[in-house]
């Protein structure tokens, strides 16, 4: 087995004892070295965004002092949820290796399918209501940003 995946799986197994979150672990690797790793910390941190992949990305970014993880790979014990997939894409990680499948996660009660359906445009108002409000005022910050000469795009 791959050493990095082995580390991700061990992190997921650790949570069976600590109950810090679900059975998920992830590591970020750059140039053959782990630069960020974490198990799921949702329960420990009282933070629904503290998934293993997100926490590993946060640790990696802090370590290299950059929001850009180009050239990195992510190893995760399970196929990433929609939130984690988005974070992986925003971090510029181009390769993800995963152990368990979405179906495996659903079989133990972690069902992300309703989010995938929502993203596909099959909005369910029981899931989320999105309502526009105060665009006239909000757009001013966008216009000012657009006019800045020295802005950093990410």
């Amino acid at each position: 087995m791959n050493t990095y995946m082995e580390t991700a799986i061990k992190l997921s197994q650790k949570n069976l004892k600590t109950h810090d979150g679900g059975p998920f672990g992830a590591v970020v690797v750059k140039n053959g070295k782990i630069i960020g790793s974490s198990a799921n910390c949702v329960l420990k941190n009282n933070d629904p965004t503290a998934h293993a992949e997100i926490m590993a990305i946060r640790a990696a970014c802090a370590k290299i002092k950059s929001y850009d993880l180009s050239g990195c790979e992510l190893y995760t014990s399970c196929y990433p949820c929609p939130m984690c997939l988005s974070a992986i894409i925003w971090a510029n990680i181009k390769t993800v290796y995963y152990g368990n499948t979405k179906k495996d996660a659903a079989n133990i009660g972690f069902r992300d399918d309703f989010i995938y359906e929502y993203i596909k445009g099959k909005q369910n108002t029981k899931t989320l209501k999105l309502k526009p409000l105060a665009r006239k005022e909000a757009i001013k910050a966008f216009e000012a940003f657009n006019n800045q000469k020295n802005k950093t795009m990410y």
Side-chain angles (χ1 to χ4, degrees):
M1 176 180 5
N2 176 289
T3 310
Y4 308 124
M5 182 58 80
E6 186 177 359
T7 301
I9 291 169
K10 283 181 180 176
L11 286 165
S12 74
Q13 293 168 337
K14 176 185 154 207
N15 266 6
L16 298 174
K17 296 175 184 152
T18 64
H19 303 286
D20 289 343
F24 305 98
V27 299
V28 177
V29 176
K30 184 167 189 163
N31 299 325
K33 294 188 177 179
I34 295 175
I35 62 168
S37 64
S38 185
N40 180 293
C41 297
V42 169
L43 301 176
K44 175 184 175 187
N45 294 2
N46 292 312
D47 179 353
T49 69
H51 290 199
E53 296 90 341
I54 301 282
M55 299 300 288
I57 287 169
R58 289 174 182 166
C61 288
K63 179 155 187 145
I64 67 168
K65 296 178 174 45
S66 176
Y67 58 84
D68 187 354
L69 296 179
S70 294
C72 294
E73 298 174 327
L74 189 134
Y75 294 78
T76 178
S77 63
C78 186
Y79 188 90
C81 76
M83 176 183 66
C84 292
L85 283 172
S86 297
I88 291 162
I89 292 167
W90 279 117
N92 293 312
I93 296 171
K94 302 296 184 202
T95 304
V96 174
Y97 299 94
Y98 64 92
N100 295 308
T101 66
K102 289 187 286 186
K103 186 174 181 182
D104 295 331
N107 287 341
I108 63 165
F110 291 92
R111 300 189 50 107
D112 300 331
D113 52 343
F114 75 99
I115 300 172
Y116 287 110
E117 291 300 309
Y118 188 89
I119 291 169
K120 287 180 190 174
K122 299 176 181 165
Q123 280 84 359
N124 177 339
T125 57
K126 290 180 183 176
T127 301
L128 177 67
K129 294 176 185 166
L130 290 170
K131 299 178 179 186
L133 180 65
R135 182 179 179 272
K136 182 178 171 186
E137 294 78 12
I139 197 70
K140 291 175 186 173
F142 276 26
E143 290 167 347
F145 177 81
N146 194 43
N147 292 328
Q148 284 183 335
K149 301 276 188 256
N150 61 346
K151 59 185 166 224
T152 301
M153 296 305 298
Y154 54 91

